[in-house]
Amino acid sequence: MELLGADPSARAEIAERMRAAEHAGDDATHAIFHQLNSSFITPFDREDIYTLAGSLDDIMDFMEEAVDLVVLYQIDQLPKGVEQQIEVLHRAAELTAEAMPNLRTMDNLTEYWIEVNRLENQADQIHRKLLAHLFNGKYDAIEVLKLKQIVDVLEEAADAFEHVANTVETIAVKES
């Protein structure tokens, strides 16, 4: 969200912080995989843990990619509607962060995956409206290509949040 209100000259520093967060996420994912590979007993299905960790990593990858593209493409102003897309992602991130500790007890997770799925549907609608806006003839072709790639990556991030929520649902069902 910080990127939206930032002066274009400050975006490179924001992208660097995002890159550092993505690398920290990679390190956490590798640590999880290492621990899984060296553990005989896991708290729930080993494959589900791999899927969950990988999906969380995908979210970070997509978010970092979107921020990096804004900087690399030297986008001065993102189209109207991107802020809605980012708000949906922000809410999905909050819900996901709140839900992860509940995997210990499997309590209060149903509302999480229902809400993230609702948010992903909302993200789909926003994405389609953004595409329609980009193709309305007000942008030159190169600008459309750049902006489309950014909004597509943000949509992939929304899909990745849904994949995490679906994995959490699978785990909860198996453990109940």
Side-chain angles (χ1 to χ4, degrees), residues 98-110:
E98 292 168 6
M100 290 302 105
N102 293 343
L103 285 170
R104 286 186 185 100
T105 61
M106 299 295 164
D107 291 336
N108 303 318
L109 289 169
T110 304

Side-chain angles (χ1 to χ4, degrees), residues 2 13-30 56-65 67:
E2 181 182 354
E13 190 270 326
I14 295 167
E16 187 54 42
R17 286 198 324 257
M18 186 66 205
R19 193 171 299 110
E22 190 276 330
H23 289 308
D26 285 343
D27 291 345
T29 302
H30 293 298
L56 288 166
D57 183 62
D58 289 344
I59 292 168
M60 290 301 294
D61 290 343
F62 292 131
M63 301 296 282
E64 188 267 334
E65 180 181 355
V67 171

